[in-house]
Amino acid sequence: MSSTFGENLKLTIFGQSHGPAIGMTLDGIPAGLSVDFEELQSFLNRRAPGQNNWSTPRKEADVPEFLAGIADGCTCGAPIAAMIRNTNTRSGDYDNLKDCPRPGHADYTAQIKYGGFQDVAGGGHFSGRLTAPLCIAGGMCKQWLEEMGIRIGAHIVQIGAEKGVLFDPMCPQLDQVGQIFPTLTADSAEAFQNVISDARSRGDSVGGIIECAAIGLPAGIGEPMFSGVENRIAQIVFGIPAVKGVEFGAGFAAAALTGSMNNDPFVVEDGEIRTTTNNCGGILGGITNGMPLIFRVAVKPTPSIAMEQQSVSLSRMENTPLTVKGRHDPCIVPRAVPVVEAAAAIAIFDMILGNTQAKKRG
């Protein structure tokens, strides 16, 4: 099922961008795990629209309503269900998209697959709005991982052609990431915001790169072949609209290295086995090696732009210009940072549940 993720937990996302509500169900979570709702809301606020000059003016409170699975502030063993009501929609802006698909969007492919029965308003089930319930699940998983000593954080390392600072792969500086604009340095934040502002002023958009790290992960998490750490994280991360690439550790740069340069030598430090470098991004053979898990995500420019674009009329089968209406982010990247963290947290928590269950069987 395309809207469901997980092997040991089962996360299902439901709803459409302009429907009455969007939400998620999360099954397979052990009973007795506490949920800090104030911390969860703070996490959701990082993704919410309409809070600054670099996001869409559409304003949504993104306050989740929990319908099941939580009792007295803790998981009760039943499937967790939560929804967020959509309150600020302008569906009329999308009336023409069944006939005139937006370049870069799923309007055309959805029309072909669903024969015109798809919900086009706001992008329907293809919308980035569906990352809000993903963050409900991910925000809870982040809390549960932190109780195990595992921390996850992400930041922006590139907007357009402007590049910033990467994490230290041996010791990612999670505490140094800016709270208002998630970068490691104030200079990068200012430069990135200028790039976004310039694109907005031209009616255009820009993409970028997000780097995510998980620290405190023990060695031995994950499986070889098709259930490796990279596989599981990549699967859920590619479920985030606009993500076009994922790389782990040195990633594509490793192709230009020799084996002697790329290999991470093992050493014993304070009675623990570590590596002196971390080109593998904390993963060997699909299994964690105890070093920080590092990966980066490429996010494409927002397809909905104010500039006139070339499209077609599906009913008349002729070329036609298109001007996109509606309210859209000039850059998706800043709001996608907590979404990437959420996706990583869900995948990692799913794998840890698998390890726990395997140990019980053993």
Side-chain angles (χ1 to χ4, degrees):
M1 297 175 62
S2 64
S3 297
T4 298
F5 170 85
E7 293 186 11
N8 306 288
L9 59 76
K10 292 294 181 184
L11 168 67
T12 298
I13 303 292
F14 65 84
Q16 296 102 252
S17 179
H18 286 197
I22 52 177
M24 66 96 214
T25 61
L26 187 61
D27 199 359
I29 302 300
L33 301 180
S34 63
V35 178
D36 184 329
F37 293 103
E38 185 175 338
E39 181 180 337
L40 178 61
Q41 188 61 60
S42 178
F43 180 69
L44 292 171
N45 290 344
R46 292 172 54 198
R47 193 222 69 93
Q51 302 186 88
N52 45 58
N53 293 329
W54 52 84
S55 73
T56 171
R58 176 179 177 178
K59 292 183 180 292
E60 296 278 6
D62 282 1
V63 178
E65 300 176 32
F66 281 86
L67 310 176
I70 307 288
D72 299 324
C74 291
T75 58
C76 64
I80 302 169
M83 70 175 185
I84 296 173
R85 297 184 187 277
N86 292 323
T87 59
N88 187 1
T89 60
R90 290 193 338 208
S91 300
D93 290 338
Y94 300 84
D95 287 344
N96 66 324
L97 299 183
K98 280 189 179 181
D99 185 60
C100 189
R102 293 169 292 179
H105 269 282
D107 300 333
Y108 173 68
T109 51
Q111 175 74 17
I112 298 301
K113 184 172 181 64
Y114 300 116
F117 289 99
Q118 75 278 7
D119 184 356
V120 300
H125 194 64
F126 296 92
S127 171
R129 180 89 184 115
L130 275 295
T131 61
L134 180 74
C135 282
I136 298 175
M140 291 189 293
C141 288
K142 275 194 70 175
Q143 292 183 25
W144 300 330
L145 289 171
E146 286 175 4
E147 292 178 2
M148 303 175 190
I150 300 167
R151 295 179 61 205
I152 296 174
H155 68 130
I156 303 170
V157 297
Q158 185 171 335
I159 294 290
E162 185 74 30
K163 296 182 179 180
V165 182
L166 295 172
F167 277 141
D168 177 346
M170 301 294 290
C171 186
Q173 313 96 302
L174 301 188
D175 293 330
Q176 294 182 26
V177 177
Q179 296 300 304
I180 297 177
F181 196 89
T183 58
L184 282 180
T185 69
D187 288 345
S188 291
E190 182 178 2
F192 291 162
Q193 289 176 50
N194 287 339
V195 173
I196 296 171
S197 178
D198 179 62
R200 180 197 286 272
S201 69
R202 292 182 283 106
D204 212 340
S205 64
V206 287
I209 297 175
I210 296 168
E211 185 177 48
C212 186
I215 58 177
L217 267 170
I221 302 295
E223 306 287 343
M225 295 293 290
F226 305 122
S227 286
V229 175
E230 298 103 320
N231 309 57
R232 304 279 280 280
I233 290 176
Q235 181 187 359
I236 189 169
V237 167
F238 274 118
I240 301 170
V243 168
K244 301 302 290 184
V246 181
E247 66 174 8
F248 292 83
F252 280 91
L257 303 177
T258 61
S260 60
M261 297 164 63
N262 186 62
N263 290 346
D264 301 310
F266 289 105
V267 294
V268 176
E269 290 183 359
D270 300 323
E272 295 184 357
I273 296 176
R274 297 175 55 82
T275 58
T276 60
T277 56
N278 192 20
N279 291 316
C280 70
I283 308 164
L284 291 168
I287 301 170
T288 57
N289 68 354
M291 298 298 291
L293 190 160
I294 308 280
F295 69 95
R296 284 169 294 280
V297 176
V299 181
K300 72 178 183 181
T302 314
S304 290
I305 56 178
M307 300 171 69
E308 184 177 276
Q309 300 179 79
Q310 175 63 49
S311 187
V312 296
S313 167
L314 299 178
S315 62
R316 300 191 304 272
M317 287 300 290
E318 62 184 30
N319 298 332
T320 184
L322 172 67
T323 300
V324 177
K325 300 177 182 179
R327 299 160 293 174
H328 308 282
D329 296 81
C331 183
I332 301 168
V333 178
R335 291 176 57 212
V337 170
V339 184
V340 171
E341 293 177 12
I346 294 164
I348 291 170
F349 193 72
D350 183 31
M351 288 183 282
I352 286 178
L353 285 178
N355 262 39
T356 302
Q357 292 167 6
K359 289 178 180 178
K360 287 181 178 178
R361 289 194 299 268

